[in-house]
Amino acid sequence: MGRYVARRLLQMIPVFIGSTLIIFCMMYALPGDPVRAMMGDQAYDPAVVANIKKDLGLDQPLLQQYANYMAGLVQGDFGTQIASQRPISDVIGDAFPVTLRLTIFAFTFVTLVGIGLGLIAGLRPDTLRDRGLLTLTLFLVSMPSFVLGFLLQYLLAFKWNVTTPTVTDSTDFSQLALPATVLASLSLAYVARLTRTSIAENLRSDYMRTAVAKGLPRRRVIGVHLLRNSLIPVVTFLGIEIGSLMTGAIVTEGIFNVRGIGIEIYEALTRREGATVVGIASLMVLIYLAASLIVDLLYAVLDPRIRYA
Amino acid sequence: MPDKTIEKTVDALPGDSGRTAVAAMTDAGPAPEKARSLWSDAWHDLRRNPLFLISAVLIVFLLVMAAWPGLFTSASPRHADLAKHYLGAPNWTNFFAADWFGYDVQGRSIYARVVYGARASITVGVGVTVAVTVLGTVIGMIAGYFGGWTDTLLSRVTDIFLGIPFLLGALVILNSFDDRTVWVVIMALAFLGWTQIARVARGAVITVKQSDYVVAAKALGASTTRIMFRHILPNAVAPIIVVATIALGGYIAAEATLSFLGVGLGDSAVSWGGDVARGREQLRIAPHTLLVPSVMVSITVLSFLMFGDAVRNALDPKLR
């Protein structure tokens, strides 16, 4: 087990370097210039711009810049924001917990409600209940989060005055409920469909017939035999979804004005401030990689036949 | 029963094939089930699927709208008349007229904008799907067919691209282009999106590669390209098509989301996502400026998703 984790961690290094290098290149090699963006529309002296660039190390070759950046990152130095002169680690430190709360809220919602709905539908495949839930998930999937976000914001906040339209205090879970629901909706629909398919398929399996024939109580048959075996594909999907939820927060945080890393990264992008974007993106890549490792380890818990030597 | 037929065929003299065939046919029993290929079988299923028929009608409708928007409205999507301003409430019963869905903040007909906006969404959706399918299939086929270090290398590259969050990557690329045409958006999304198809294609090719007909073709000295395109691709294409059709709806949603975030098509383009972003300020006083294009996005995504679902159910024998 320990050796397996060590090997996987080693394998992650090239993937991490590759992903961040591509994001870094996209940020710096494509047209667009942070120093010019800082100048805005005002006239500027090319010599001043060149000087600022030299101070920031933006005149060096791209790979050299990347190497410098990574060397800093390994020591926990994310760099400094050009416009505000704040260390980026401070910016992330302020914004990350907010997004983390939102994402965990949404993730819990996805897991509980998604698997719940999938179970309800999958236990009675091809009934009215099943079809109804499938149609519901189809509608959820076809609504991009900004559509659902504005729809709920309009109905709940403006028309019926049930909630506040934007989030003023991100530690207040009642305020986070609406953005978390919107963020969760797409993944929730996918999880429900995946669980439903998996359950409906396993319902016909031999071990289910055996379990029922042994006279086990229904609770145990469903909870231990059916659910545990059906959850493997769902867990894989959930692991990948943690990353998507965090990027999906860019849209949701914008709609509900949650001051998390989604808004930070979006604002940094419009200022073409590479260091902030790459810093937050690296963090997201790390979370994605960690989640996929945890998923692989969870397989062994769900299916004892899988052992990691 | 089949044994008997074979015996008869073997017994028959050369030149007697006509009689043998007749004998075989009569021996086959009443109403022989015609052997159908995967595709005609799928088509047989699809024609009877109401979900497929509804979505196909909607998609044809949307395609016509994208190709000839002038058929649906005589109003121009760019003609702004501030006197008509968004506070002039929509005339919900005045079907297909310029004021059907009311006017936006600049006094442009929302109905005309919604009609003309179809082109951007559909072009990007279809374009990205075609691009990722071609790119992903080629990469996946090369990895699956050659195996060894080629496979290792391409699989690691796939892993690296999978590690880049899709929305974030698209934001970063598109944000650096000032002039974002349809092609720029398609290229950017295809650059990030090919991994899923590549994985599916690789898996399908590996499964097909070991089959007898491929070994036979190799033994007969067929060239690598011939084996790939004549023998492997046609037999590995079903799962690729399934993934691609389902992804199409997702790419339309992605285009709308990026336009909403201000990094989709340029400001001068008529696009649903852009209209939603512009309608945002009026959500409280004139919600229709935002909700009408939002509903259009959802209907379009829904049609393509239903279509993809139906195709998957028809092509995937495991789900029968």
Side-chain angles (χ1 to χ4, degrees):
Chain A
M1 180 83 173
R3 278 184 57 195
Y4 174 77
V5 174
R7 203 172 66 226
R8 280 292 306 268
L9 286 173
L10 280 177
Q11 281 173 352
M12 277 182 188
I13 295 172
V15 176
F16 178 73
I17 293 178
S19 307
T20 48
L21 180 63
I22 289 175
I23 295 170
F24 193 86
C25 290
M26 292 192 307
M27 201 59 222
Y28 287 101
L30 291 174
D33 185 332
V35 182
R36 295 249 324 251
M38 197 167 83
M39 298 288 177
D41 287 332
Q42 55 182 309
Y44 58 88
D45 182 0
V48 174
V49 170
N51 249 333
I52 299 177
K53 274 196 177 175
K54 196 162 177 228
D55 287 347
L56 296 168
L58 290 172
D59 58 338
Q60 289 168 359
L62 197 67
L63 277 178
Q64 180 67 44
Q65 285 187 39
Y66 177 75
N68 291 347
Y69 182 79
M70 273 296 140
L73 200 64
V74 173
Q75 295 161 31
D77 174 17
F78 279 85
T80 314
Q81 276 199 333
I82 300 176
S84 65
Q85 292 296 323
R86 272 181 83 196
I88 292 166
S89 46
D90 275 13
V91 176
I92 294 179
D94 281 351
F96 191 65
V98 177
T99 303
L100 201 63
R101 272 194 292 273
L102 181 66
T103 315
I104 290 177
F105 198 154
F107 187 75
T108 317
F109 197 57
V110 168
T111 314
L112 296 180
V113 181
I115 294 178
L117 288 181
L119 191 63
I120 292 172
L123 283 177
R124 297 248 187 290
D126 296 318
T127 54
L128 192 67
R129 187 169 87 182
D130 178 35
R131 305 251 153 154
L133 280 172
L134 272 183
T135 319
L136 177 77
T137 56
L138 201 59
F139 276 107
L140 278 183
V141 175
S142 54
M143 273 197 264
S145 57
F146 68 93
V147 172
L148 188 67
F150 285 126
L151 192 67
L152 291 181
Q153 194 180 45
Y154 173 69
L155 290 177
L156 295 177
F158 295 148
K159 212 160 180 192
W160 301 327
N161 286 318
V162 188
T163 55
T164 50
T166 52
V167 175
T168 47
D169 176 13
S170 72
T171 50
D172 181 358
F173 272 82
S174 65
Q175 285 193 19
L176 273 187
L178 184 55
T181 314
V182 172
L183 183 59
S185 72
L186 185 67
S187 312
L188 188 146
Y190 278 125
V191 167
R193 304 195 108 199
L194 203 58
T195 313
R196 184 250 166 215
T197 313
S198 186
I199 291 223
E201 210 174 278
N202 284 334
L203 213 51
R204 295 193 294 259
S205 61
D206 291 340
Y207 65 80
M208 277 299 289
R209 199 181 311 126
T210 314
V212 174
K214 274 199 297 191
L216 290 179
R218 193 177 151 76
R219 252 188 120 72
R220 197 173 159 77
V221 173
I222 292 173
V224 177
H225 294 255
L226 180 61
L227 206 53
R228 190 164 161 180
N229 278 292
S230 307
L231 281 185
I232 291 182
V234 182
V235 166
T236 315
F237 182 80
L238 283 173
I240 301 168
E241 276 309 283
I242 294 180
S244 326
L245 283 176
M246 289 219 151
T247 37
I250 296 176
V251 179
T252 323
E253 287 181 0
I255 294 174
F256 295 101
N257 195 31
V258 187
R259 306 296 308 178
I261 53 169
I263 284 195
E264 287 297 341
I265 202 168
Y266 184 66
E267 287 178 352
L269 262 170
T270 49
R271 290 196 305 264
R272 305 219 159 140
E273 217 169 79
T276 315
V277 175
V278 179
I280 296 178
S282 311
L283 199 65
M284 284 180 173
V285 174
L286 263 186
I287 291 171
Y288 165 81
L289 289 174
S292 57
L293 175 63
I294 294 171
V295 163
D296 281 357
L297 296 179
L298 268 181
Y299 284 160
V301 178
L302 285 171
D303 187 345
R305 284 171 302 185
I306 301 172
R307 285 234 171 76
Y308 298 115
Chain B
M1 189 87 90
D3 288 349
K4 232 164 132 189
T5 323
I6 290 166
E7 253 178 49
K8 279 220 165 117
T9 322
V10 171
D11 282 349
L13 295 164
D16 250 353
S17 54
R19 217 191 65 200
T20 322
V22 173
M25 265 164 76
T26 40
D27 268 13
E33 178 79 12
K34 202 176 126 209
R36 284 193 300 245
S37 73
L38 175 69
W39 300 105
S40 61
D41 207 23
W43 175 235
H44 182 83
D45 271 18
L46 281 177
R47 272 183 316 192
R48 279 157 189 76
N49 186 347
L51 219 59
F52 172 77
L53 294 175
I54 296 170
S55 61
V57 168
L58 277 170
I59 287 172
V60 169
F61 188 72
L62 287 163
L63 289 177
V64 173
M65 194 183 265
W68 302 286
L71 287 177
F72 293 84
T73 176
S74 54
S76 157
R78 295 176 206 279
H79 175 73
D81 181 358
L82 279 177
K84 284 177 180 155
H85 208 248
Y86 57 82
L87 290 174
N91 196 349
W92 294 114
T93 50
N94 198 3
F95 298 106
F96 306 108
D99 65 346
W100 188 12
F101 298 139
Y103 294 90
D104 70 1
V105 67
Q106 308 207 40
R108 296 175 296 197
S109 160
I110 293 180
Y111 174 58
R113 287 192 72 77
V114 154
V115 167
Y116 278 84
R119 183 174 288 173
S121 286
I122 305 244
T123 321
V124 171
V126 174
V128 175
T129 308
V130 170
V132 294
T133 309
V134 172
L135 200 64
T137 309
V138 169
I139 293 174
M141 261 174 75
I142 292 173
Y145 185 77
F146 292 107
W149 66 266
T150 324
D151 185 24
T152 314
L153 181 74
L154 287 174
S155 296
R156 284 296 86 75
V157 174
T158 313
D159 283 348
I160 288 173
F161 273 85
L162 270 176
I164 303 172
F166 184 80
L167 185 63
L168 184 60
L171 265 166
V172 171
I173 299 181
L174 290 171
N175 189 54
S176 51
F177 286 92
D178 287 325
D179 179 31
R180 289 181 296 268
T181 60
V182 171
W183 295 111
V184 172
V185 177
I186 290 177
M187 287 302 142
L189 295 187
F191 175 71
L192 296 164
W194 56 270
T195 47
Q196 195 190 9
I197 302 250
R199 285 201 154 179
V200 173
R202 176 180 171 272
V205 168
I206 288 176
T207 322
V208 174
K209 198 171 74 170
Q210 276 124 22
S211 53
D212 291 340
Y213 55 83
V214 173
V215 178
K218 252 188 218 164
L220 287 169
S223 70
T224 306
T225 38
R226 189 180 161 82
I227 293 176
M228 271 186 157
F229 287 99
R230 292 283 304 176
H231 299 286
I232 292 186
L233 187 59
N235 290 293
V237 82
I240 297 171
I241 286 185
V242 167
V243 176
T245 31
I246 293 178
L248 214 167
Y251 288 126
I252 290 180
E255 186 276 325
T257 306
L258 290 166
S259 294
F260 166 71
L261 288 172
V263 294
L265 299 168
D267 270 348
S268 59
V270 184
S271 77
W272 295 332
D275 279 0
V276 172
R278 282 184 283 272
R280 203 181 158 175
E281 309 295 318
Q282 292 89 47
L283 181 59
R284 193 189 285 261
I285 40 174
H288 63 273
T289 54
L290 180 149
L291 293 179
V292 172
S294 301
V295 168
M296 268 317 271
V297 175
S298 298
I299 291 176
T300 311
V301 177
L302 181 66
S303 327
F304 281 102
L305 280 179
M306 284 195 323
F307 187 81
D309 245 24
V311 170
R312 188 199 45 208
N313 287 343
L315 278 180
D316 191 348
K318 244 200 307 191
L319 292 170
R320 296 248 174 86

